[in-house]
């Protein structure tokens, strides 16, 4: 209905007001939580995207009346997906990246299957295509309607967090439990109904969006086996299993999840048009949308900087064009976009290899990239010091000289 409230949302990114210009990324929460479960992940993602977080109906600041019905067994995953589309439509977003936790991830999976034209890339975090026996969720929905949220909230910590994290006293853990205690029983129960009726297992092969599946190694709500089932059935999906994390992996291991998402988003970086824009307007000349070259170019620019990449493109000749294409597609598009290591770690590995082989001009380039990826000068120094043991003192001596030159150039550039 026209007067039905929208999902409450919060927008993060460089654009505080006005039209959305950067690629939009919509983040969906788990049942029982609020958008705050993404708090520690958003700063990394908002550097390159307009991030839109929302609260589920009856959660956070979204009223349960955002749903078309609150009668028992009336709400499906399609209804929840439509609330997300209503929000995107209101914001003028035609196509978007999507990442969601648990129920939020299932909403994204449904959208990728049934509304593929809207989804540029998909990340499914601690989620499933089927959340177990429908009678379990039907019983929980009835209990919440009859008794309120209290009993569910009392048991939530053991489902959401590892014992170590629950005992750590992390403020975010108690804040999320408070959000659960404040949830509207009618909205929470309706979300349980949606989970009871959910089974996407036979439809996963229809997903065409680049997909990343993230699992918490200690998740008892959606065990790793559920993530493996998703990744195995979705064409070309990548799987990342996060150690020391339970159901809310983005809360317990936010940096790992953030870096994995940032790398994954590069795969669909040029495939997220806003309103009437399309991917061709932002792609490099002769790029083929949706290929490893697009992802590679996005990561190459993020790590090495536009100025360096623009010089490389300008200096490309017919003789070197195929080699430049190989670098972009394979090194940057296939290796640097993998979720298994964050960019800091990839830079550390790259620096070590370049020192070992004496590739000093490449080392200078990647020293700048390492700083762009978050390594400090002190950390670079430690890496180079360790190469003296494993690569040889003369190699490390040359590397330190190159590093001093690069740092001096950066200092001069910053003063200009």
């Amino acid at each position: 209905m026209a007067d039905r409230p929208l999902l409450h949302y919060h927008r993060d990114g460089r654009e505080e007001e006005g039209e959305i210009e950067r690629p939009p990324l919509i983040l969906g929460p788990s049942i029982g939580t609020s958008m705050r479960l993404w708090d520690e992940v958003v700063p990394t993602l908002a550097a390159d995207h307009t991030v839109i977080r929302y609260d589920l109906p009856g959660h956070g600041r979204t009223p349960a009346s955002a749903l078309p019905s609150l009668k028992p067994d009336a709400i499906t995953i399609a209804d929840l997906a439509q609330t997300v589309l209503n929000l995107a439509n209101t914001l003028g977003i035609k196509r978007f990246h999507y990442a969601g936790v648990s129920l939020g991830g299932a909403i994204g999976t449904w959208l990728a299957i049934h509304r593929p034209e809207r989804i540029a890339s998909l990340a499914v975090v601690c989620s499933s295509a089927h959340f177990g026996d429908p009678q379990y969720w039907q019983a929980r929905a009835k209990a919440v309607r009859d008794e309120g949220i209290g009993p569910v909230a009392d048991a939530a910590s053991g489902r959401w967090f590892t014992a170590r994290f629950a005992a750590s006293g992390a403020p975010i853990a108690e804040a999320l439990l408070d959000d659960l205690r404040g949830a509207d029983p009618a909205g929470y129960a309706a979300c349980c109904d949606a989970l009871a009726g959910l089974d996407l297992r036979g439809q996963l092969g229809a997903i065409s969006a680049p997909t990343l599946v993230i699992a918490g190694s200690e998740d008892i709500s959606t065990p790793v086996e559920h993530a493996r089932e998703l990744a195995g059935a979705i064409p070309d999906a990548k799987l990342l299993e996060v150690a020391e994390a339970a159901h809310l992996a983005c809360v317990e291991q936010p940096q790992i999840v953030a870096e994995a998402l940032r790398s994954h988003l590069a795969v669909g970086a040029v495939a997220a048009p806003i309103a009437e824009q399309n991917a061709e307007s932002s792609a490099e000349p002769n790029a083929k949308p949706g290929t490893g070259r697009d992802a590679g170019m996005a990561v190459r620019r993020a790590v090495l900087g536009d100025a360096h990449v623009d010089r490389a493109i300008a200096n490309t000749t017919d003789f070197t064009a195929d080699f430049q294409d190989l670098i972009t597609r394979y090194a940057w598009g296939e290796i640097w976009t993998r979720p298994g290591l964050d960019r800091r770690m990839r830079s550390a590995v790259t620096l070590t290899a370049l020192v070992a082989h004496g590739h000093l001009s490449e080392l200078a380039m990647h020293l700048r990239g390492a700083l762009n990826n978050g390594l400090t000068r002190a950390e670079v120094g430690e890496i180079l010091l360790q190469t003296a043991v494993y690569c040889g003192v003369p190699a490390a001596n040359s590397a330190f000289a190159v590093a001093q030159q690069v740092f001096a150039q950066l200092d001069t550039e910053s003063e200009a």
Side-chain angles (χ1 to χ4, degrees):
M1 295 177 61
D3 58 351
R4 188 176 301 140
L6 285 172
L7 298 176
H8 173 72
Y9 72 95
H10 182 76
R11 178 169 153 175
D12 300 271
R14 298 180 186 178
E15 309 147 331
E16 296 181 0
E17 301 291 343
E19 183 178 353
I20 294 174
E21 297 178 354
R22 301 174 73 79
L25 165 64
I26 296 180
L27 300 179
S30 169
I31 184 172
T33 69
S34 71
M35 66 175 69
R36 92 167 77 201
L37 91 164
W38 292 105
D39 278 358
E40 296 300 313
V41 175
V42 163
T44 297
L45 304 180
D48 300 311
H49 294 80
T50 296
V51 178
I52 296 157
R53 298 182 271 171
Y54 68 85
D55 287 326
L56 290 163
H59 296 65
R61 294 173 61 184
T62 297
S65 57
L67 291 169
S69 174
L70 292 175
K71 295 179 180 179
D73 302 319
I75 295 303
T76 67
I77 196 72
D79 295 313
L80 292 173
Q82 187 59 53
T83 65
V84 174
L85 291 178
N86 291 344
L87 174 61
N89 293 341
T90 300
L91 296 174
I93 299 173
K94 182 178 179 182
R95 188 168 168 84
F96 50 88
H97 303 278
Y98 186 95
V101 179
S102 190
L103 175 56
I107 291 171
T109 304
W110 188 95
L111 287 169
I113 293 168
H114 295 278
R115 299 301 300 273
E117 76 282 1
R118 304 298 296 267
I119 303 299
S121 71
L122 173 68
V124 182
V125 184
C126 299
S127 188
S128 181
H130 180 252
F131 284 74
D133 188 347
Q135 293 182 354
Y136 170 84
W137 292 104
Q138 292 164 348
R140 183 185 288 192
K142 185 178 186 303
V144 168
R145 288 185 173 105
D146 293 345
E147 305 171 28
I149 291 289
V152 172
D154 292 341
S157 181
R159 295 193 307 270
W160 286 356
F161 308 119
T162 62
R164 294 180 299 278
F165 191 80
S168 69
I172 184 61
E174 189 58 36
L176 286 170
L177 291 171
D178 283 343
D179 287 340
L180 175 55
R181 297 182 187 104
D184 183 329
Y188 184 96
C191 290
C192 290
D193 290 336
L195 287 171
L198 176 70
D199 190 349
L200 301 174
R201 288 175 291 184
Q203 305 173 57
L204 297 174
I207 295 177
S208 58
T211 300
L212 170 66
V213 180
I214 298 178
S217 64
E218 300 180 48
D219 186 357
I220 61 174
S221 296
T222 51
V224 171
E225 289 74 17
H226 289 223
R228 291 172 182 165
E229 181 180 51
L230 282 167
I234 297 173
D236 300 320
K238 292 184 172 69
L239 173 64
L240 173 64
E241 298 179 16
V242 180
E244 299 184 7
H247 192 51
L248 302 186
C250 59
V251 174
E252 292 201 60
Q253 300 292 346
Q255 190 59 42
I256 293 174
V257 172
E259 288 294 337
L261 289 175
R262 186 172 72 166
S263 294
H264 171 66
L265 286 166
V267 174
V270 298
I274 310 302
E276 298 302 318
Q277 296 177 7
N278 56 59
E280 291 181 0
S281 64
S282 59
E284 292 295 323
N286 303 318
K288 298 178 182 178
T291 66
R293 187 181 191 282
D294 300 327
M297 186 59 73
V299 177
R300 189 179 181 186
R301 287 187 178 279
V303 175
L304 302 180
D306 288 335
H308 173 88
V309 176
D310 288 342
R311 285 194 300 271
I313 292 172
N315 292 330
T316 299
T317 66
D318 290 341
F319 181 69
T320 63
D322 287 343
F323 180 66
Q324 286 294 320
D325 183 64
L326 173 68
I327 293 170
T328 303
R329 284 187 298 102
Y330 185 66
W332 295 105
E334 295 294 332
I335 301 303
W336 277 83
T337 58
R338 291 179 60 82
L341 298 176
D342 64 25
R343 291 185 189 173
R344 282 167 44 87
M345 179 67 76
R346 291 193 185 281
S347 280
V349 172
T350 302
L351 294 180
T352 304
L354 294 173
V355 172
H357 289 279
H359 300 312
L360 300 184
S361 61
E362 290 278 318
L363 177 64
M365 176 182 72
H366 277 280
L367 282 166
R368 288 175 174 259
L371 298 179
N372 289 339
N373 283 340
L375 287 174
T376 66
R377 296 187 184 190
E379 288 172 328
V380 169
E382 288 297 323
I383 292 169
L384 299 185
L385 185 64
Q386 186 149 336
T387 65
V389 177
Y390 293 96
C391 303
V393 171
N397 183 53
S398 298
F400 270 106
V402 171
Q404 282 189 304
Q405 292 173 0
V406 170
F407 294 161
Q409 289 169 359
L410 290 171
D411 291 339
T412 300
E413 292 169 8
S414 66
E415 294 171 358

